[in-house]
Amino acid sequence: MGLNMGVNLGGLLMKNPVTTASGTFAAGREYNDFVDVSALGAVTTKGVSLHGWAGNDTPRIAETPSGMLNSIGLQNPGVKHLMDVDIPWLNDQGATIIVNVSGHSFDEYLAVVDELEQACVHAYEINISCPNVDAGGMTLGTDPACVEAIVKKIREATKRPLIVKLTPNVTSITDIAKAAEAGGADAISLINTLLGMSIDAERMQPTMARVVGGLSGPCVKPVALRMVWECHQAISLPILGMGGIMNGIDAVEFMLAGATAIAVGTANFVNPCATQDVINGIADFCERHGVRDVNELIGALKC
């Protein structure tokens, strides 16, 4: 009897538990020489806003021990370009599409979703780590009341699966997860990057123009695993887990902690075939352990 690799992420049916982390795979075309995007559980696009964003000043990437810092600033050409160029290409490839939605205000999030309702996409991942101009520039995802409010508004605007991406830069990740659930989310994804910085001691200056950036890669995996596990205990929503996943065993660890699906991010910069390697690694683990359905791994941690 064969192995079932299919999972259901809050109503999004995926042929396997592996997608891409937003911002590390563009919209898939750039990896087309290495990865068959239709073979992935889903492709998660780079974050898209209503109009194009120029992004932050350079330098905006720095290597760190076991990871990297980035301060790209959600550079993107806007939702119209995504709908005219990238989504048609992904549909032609037969990919399952998750669009990551960004905005500086409640109205901008809603406007992006309203535009995307006219396109053939399968789910939304709402990036609530943007500064919220409606609340004086505060990061929306750090306030449970703001999280519940924006999720509720977007929930009213779409029937498509709604995945809410959480920032780890909070005191209690479970409070934010509960707020997303209360607002009507179908799933949550975590973690986004951790705030960090690096310094060029010889020049006595920060390495990056904006001083701080988002830390990702293997160095954040222990934090990400802990937060996935905590949220799995606290809410009933399925979880898209990410943070330092480099191979199949890393992915299995996230599923054991409670993730229904996982996203591969920084690994794509090191190995453009990382997503397919992770899929193969999960399948190999299941075969070695006599697991016939990958869903048996979800939350199966023995503790």
Side-chain angles (χ1 to χ4, degrees):
M1 187 174 179
L3 169 63
N4 173 42
M5 288 281 282
V7 298
N8 184 337
L9 184 68
L12 177 67
L13 301 180
M14 301 170 61
K15 64 184 67 176
N16 59 66
V18 179
T19 185
T20 55
S22 176
T24 66
F25 205 74
R29 194 191 305 260
E30 290 80 354
Y31 284 82
N32 190 43
D33 290 341
F34 305 97
V35 176
D36 175 6
V37 294
S38 70
L40 303 180
V43 172
T44 303
T45 69
K46 179 173 175 55
V48 64
S49 54
L50 184 59
H51 304 294
W53 290 356
N56 293 333
D57 293 338
T58 59
R60 52 188 188 178
I61 293 178
E63 187 174 357
T64 68
S66 298
M68 64 177 286
L69 286 163
N70 90 82
S71 181
I72 303 301
L74 291 168
Q75 177 180 331
N76 76 94
V79 70
K80 187 177 187 304
H81 181 274
L82 185 78
M83 292 173 64
D84 290 347
V85 177
D86 295 318
I87 290 173
W89 182 84
L90 285 166
N91 280 311
D92 286 345
Q93 307 308 306
T96 298
I97 307 168
I98 303 172
V99 176
N100 182 281
V101 176
S102 300
H104 281 136
S105 66
F106 283 20
D107 287 345
E108 185 170 6
Y109 280 98
L110 290 170
V112 174
V113 169
D114 185 58
E115 291 287 334
L116 288 168
E117 286 290 281
Q118 316 307 314
C120 183
V121 303
H122 302 94
Y124 302 126
E125 181 184 55
I126 308 301
N127 175 13
I128 56 172
S129 299
C130 298
N132 175 19
V133 297
D134 291 341
M138 177 194 63
T139 299
L140 188 154
T142 62
D143 183 331
C146 280
V147 170
E148 182 174 350
I150 187 59
V151 173
K152 188 171 293 184
K153 285 179 178 291
I154 298 173
R155 175 76 287 160
E156 293 170 354
T158 183
K159 294 182 179 179
R160 289 174 175 164
L162 194 59
I163 307 161
V164 180
K165 189 167 189 177
L166 308 188
T167 173
N169 301 301
V170 294
T171 303
S172 172
I173 192 67
T174 55
D175 286 348
I176 307 299
K178 288 174 182 177
E181 184 174 39
D186 294 302
I188 60 170
S189 64
L190 68 156
I191 61 174
N192 209 324
T193 55
L194 289 157
L195 282 177
M197 67 180 289
S198 64
I199 292 173
D200 183 335
E202 295 300 325
R203 294 190 302 127
M204 300 184 186
Q205 292 179 352
T207 306
M208 295 191 300
R210 288 179 63 88
V211 184
V212 300
L215 180 66
S216 64
C219 56
V220 309
K221 193 181 88 168
V223 176
L225 282 172
R226 186 263 296 177
M227 289 191 169
V228 167
W229 180 75
E230 287 181 342
C231 288
H232 181 64
Q233 312 303 310
I235 62 172
S236 60
L237 299 180
I239 297 169
L240 173 59
M242 65 195 77
I245 296 173
M246 303 296 288
N247 52 53
I249 295 299
D250 289 336
V252 168
E253 291 177 17
F254 274 82
M255 296 189 75
L256 292 173
T260 294
I262 63 91
V264 179
T266 301
N268 292 308
F269 300 136
V270 179
N271 170 18
C273 301
T275 45
Q276 187 60 60
D277 290 349
V278 169
I279 294 169
N280 295 340
I282 295 171
D284 177 70
F285 177 90
C286 290
E287 290 169 8
R288 289 190 292 106
H289 288 266
V291 175
R292 294 186 175 181
D293 187 333
V294 74
N295 291 277
E296 296 173 24
L297 299 176
I298 302 169
L301 187 66
K302 301 174 182 177
C303 61

